[in-house]
PDB file of all heavy atoms in Angstrom:
ATOM      1  N   CYS A  67     109.836-157.222  24.182  1.00  0.00           N
ATOM      2  CA  CYS A  67     109.514-157.043  25.605  1.00  0.00           C
ATOM      3  C   CYS A  67     108.061-157.415  25.887  1.00  0.00           C
ATOM      4  O   CYS A  67     107.750-157.906  26.968  1.00  0.00           O
ATOM      5  CB  CYS A  67     109.788-155.612  26.042  1.00  0.00           C
ATOM      6  SG  CYS A  67     111.521-155.303  26.343  1.00  0.00           S
ATOM      7  N   ARG A  68     107.167-157.184  24.936  1.00  0.00           N
ATOM      8  CA  ARG A  68     105.775-157.572  25.136  1.00  0.00           C
ATOM      9  C   ARG A  68     105.644-159.095  25.201  1.00  0.00           C
ATOM     10  O   ARG A  68     104.927-159.635  26.040  1.00  0.00           O
ATOM     11  CB  ARG A  68     104.898-157.034  24.007  1.00  0.00           C
ATOM     12  CG  ARG A  68     103.421-157.338  24.213  1.00  0.00           C
ATOM     13  CD  ARG A  68     102.622-157.009  22.982  1.00  0.00           C
ATOM     14  NE  ARG A  68     102.884-157.890  21.867  1.00  0.00           N
ATOM     15  CZ  ARG A  68     102.303-159.086  21.693  1.00  0.00           C
ATOM     16  NH1 ARG A  68     101.429-159.533  22.555  1.00  0.00           N
ATOM     17  NH2 ARG A  68     102.600-159.829  20.654  1.00  0.00           N
ATOM     18  N   VAL A  69     106.372-159.782  24.335  1.00  0.00           N
ATOM     19  CA  VAL A  69     106.296-161.250  24.304  1.00  0.00           C
ATOM     20  C   VAL A  69     106.960-161.852  25.540  1.00  0.00           C
ATOM     21  O   VAL A  69     106.415-162.759  26.170  1.00  0.00           O
ATOM     22  CB  VAL A  69     106.934-161.791  23.002  1.00  0.00           C
ATOM     23  CG1 VAL A  69     107.085-163.296  23.049  1.00  0.00           C
ATOM     24  CG2 VAL A  69     106.105-161.372  21.801  1.00  0.00           C
ATOM     25  N   VAL A  70     108.127-161.343  25.907  1.00  0.00           N
ATOM     26  CA  VAL A  70     108.853-161.871  27.067  1.00  0.00           C
ATOM     27  C   VAL A  70     108.154-161.482  28.366  1.00  0.00           C
ATOM     28  O   VAL A  70     108.161-162.242  29.329  1.00  0.00           O
ATOM     29  CB  VAL A  70     110.320-161.382  27.045  1.00  0.00           C
ATOM     30  CG1 VAL A  70     111.039-161.746  28.324  1.00  0.00           C
ATOM     31  CG2 VAL A  70     111.043-161.955  25.849  1.00  0.00           C
ATOM     32  N   SER A  71     107.555-160.303  28.403  1.00  0.00           N
ATOM     33  CA  SER A  71     106.793-159.768  29.531  1.00  0.00           C
ATOM     34  C   SER A  71     107.610-159.712  30.823  1.00  0.00           C
ATOM     35  O   SER A  71     107.375-160.476  31.757  1.00  0.00           O
ATOM     36  CB  SER A  71     105.509-160.562  29.755  1.00  0.00           C
ATOM     37  OG  SER A  71     104.701-159.943  30.713  1.00  0.00           O
ATOM     38  N   PRO A  72     108.559-158.777  30.886  1.00  0.00           N
ATOM     39  CA  PRO A  72     109.365-158.672  32.098  1.00  0.00           C
ATOM     40  C   PRO A  72     108.551-158.296  33.336  1.00  0.00           C
ATOM     41  O   PRO A  72     108.888-158.710  34.446  1.00  0.00           O
ATOM     42  CB  PRO A  72     110.384-157.579  31.767  1.00  0.00           C
ATOM     43  CG  PRO A  72     109.837-156.860  30.606  1.00  0.00           C
ATOM     44  CD  PRO A  72     108.944-157.797  29.879  1.00  0.00           C
ATOM     45  N   SER A  73     107.464-157.559  33.170  1.00  0.00           N
ATOM     46  CA  SER A  73     106.652-157.198  34.336  1.00  0.00           C
ATOM     47  C   SER A  73     105.942-158.417  34.907  1.00  0.00           C
ATOM     48  O   SER A  73     105.793-158.541  36.131  1.00  0.00           O
ATOM     49  CB  SER A  73     105.642-156.109  33.977  1.00  0.00           C
ATOM     50  OG  SER A  73     104.782-156.568  32.969  1.00  0.00           O
ATOM     51  N   HIS A  74     105.518-159.336  34.046  1.00  0.00           N
ATOM     52  CA  HIS A  74     104.888-160.569  34.541  1.00  0.00           C
ATOM     53  C   HIS A  74     105.927-161.445  35.247  1.00  0.00           C
ATOM     54  O   HIS A  74     105.631-162.041  36.286  1.00  0.00           O
ATOM     55  CB  HIS A  74     104.240-161.340  33.380  1.00  0.00           C
ATOM     56  CG  HIS A  74     103.576-162.596  33.805  1.00  0.00           C
ATOM     57  ND1 HIS A  74     102.407-162.607  34.539  1.00  0.00           N
ATOM     58  CD2 HIS A  74     103.915-163.901  33.625  1.00  0.00           C
ATOM     59  CE1 HIS A  74     102.053-163.859  34.787  1.00  0.00           C
ATOM     60  NE2 HIS A  74     102.951-164.658  34.240  1.00  0.00           N
ATOM     61  N   ILE A  75     107.119-161.516  34.692  1.00  0.00           N
ATOM     62  CA  ILE A  75     108.198-162.289  35.325  1.00  0.00           C
ATOM     63  C   ILE A  75     108.507-161.718  36.708  1.00  0.00           C
ATOM     64  O   ILE A  75     108.648-162.463  37.686  1.00  0.00           O
ATOM     65  CB  ILE A  75     109.457-162.297  34.431  1.00  0.00           C
ATOM     66  CG1 ILE A  75     109.190-163.089  33.155  1.00  0.00           C
ATOM     67  CG2 ILE A  75     110.653-162.856  35.177  1.00  0.00           C
ATOM     68  CD1 ILE A  75     110.279-162.994  32.115  1.00  0.00           C
ATOM     69  N   LEU A  76     108.585-160.380  36.797  1.00  0.00           N
ATOM     70  CA  LEU A  76     108.865-159.760  38.093  1.00  0.00           C
ATOM     71  C   LEU A  76     107.725-159.976  39.091  1.00  0.00           C
ATOM     72  O   LEU A  76     107.977-160.224  40.276  1.00  0.00           O
ATOM     73  CB  LEU A  76     109.118-158.268  37.919  1.00  0.00           C
ATOM     74  CG  LEU A  76     110.438-157.878  37.270  1.00  0.00           C
ATOM     75  CD1 LEU A  76     110.482-156.379  37.000  1.00  0.00           C
ATOM     76  CD2 LEU A  76     111.604-158.300  38.139  1.00  0.00           C
ATOM     77  N   SER A  77     106.485-159.885  38.632  1.00  0.00           N
ATOM     78  CA  SER A  77     105.360-160.042  39.561  1.00  0.00           C
ATOM     79  C   SER A  77     105.212-161.480  40.043  1.00  0.00           C
ATOM     80  O   SER A  77     104.742-161.712  41.153  1.00  0.00           O
ATOM     81  CB  SER A  77     104.060-159.561  38.915  1.00  0.00           C
ATOM     82  OG  SER A  77     103.702-160.391  37.840  1.00  0.00           O
ATOM     83  N   THR A  78     105.597-162.458  39.223  1.00  0.00           N
ATOM     84  CA  THR A  78     105.522-163.850  39.688  1.00  0.00           C
ATOM     85  C   THR A  78     106.744-164.237  40.513  1.00  0.00           C
ATOM     86  O   THR A  78     106.636-165.049  41.423  1.00  0.00           O
ATOM     87  CB  THR A  78     105.379-164.817  38.499  1.00  0.00           C
ATOM     88  OG1 THR A  78     106.454-164.618  37.584  1.00  0.00           O
ATOM     89  CG2 THR A  78     104.046-164.628  37.806  1.00  0.00           C
ATOM     90  N   THR A  79     107.895-163.642  40.204  1.00  0.00           N
ATOM     91  CA  THR A  79     109.109-163.946  40.958  1.00  0.00           C
ATOM     92  C   THR A  79     109.070-163.314  42.347  1.00  0.00           C
ATOM     93  O   THR A  79     109.472-163.930  43.326  1.00  0.00           O
ATOM     94  CB  THR A  79     110.353-163.450  40.202  1.00  0.00           C
ATOM     95  OG1 THR A  79     110.365-164.015  38.896  1.00  0.00           O
ATOM     96  CG2 THR A  79     111.623-163.842  40.929  1.00  0.00           C
TER      97      THR A  79
END
Side-chain angles (χ1 to χ4, degrees):
C67 281
R68 184 190 69 83
V69 170
V70 172
S71 188
S73 60
H74 180 71
I75 293 171
L76 288 173
S77 66
T78 56
T79 304

